[in-house]
Amino acid sequence: MVRVPLTPEERQRGERFGVLLRQARGERSMVEVAAAAGLSAETLRKIETGRAPTPAFFTVAALAAALNLSLDELAAACAEGPQATEFRQAG
């Protein structure tokens, strides 16, 4: 199966998502958050650095749960553009 290359916008959205995750993770270690989400630390590292810009839905949902974020909140912040890097966790 041939995978269609990502557009620049999709790559940028993946980078924004990674920034949001790093900010939401705060002082928690990557290993701790990855374990809470049922992922490997390497998978989380790839997502946070934008090397895996389109993670599967269930991966995103697991990360949102581990970080106490809503999926709506994540989707809106990633769609906003560069200003989304100023993400603040509700609560």
Side-chain angles (χ1 to χ4, degrees), residues 47-59:
I47 294 169
E48 284 190 359
T49 61
R51 288 188 8 227
T54 58
F57 171 78
F58 290 106
T59 300

Side-chain angles (χ1 to χ4, degrees), residues 24-62:
R25 184 163 55 85
E27 297 296 318
R28 293 173 68 186
S29 75
M30 190 176 287
V31 172
E32 177 187 347
V33 172
L39 308 172
S40 70
E42 182 59 23
T43 297
L44 180 54
R45 183 180 344 278
K46 286 178 180 178
I47 294 169
E48 284 190 359
T49 61
R51 288 188 8 227
T54 58
F57 171 78
F58 290 106
T59 300
V60 174

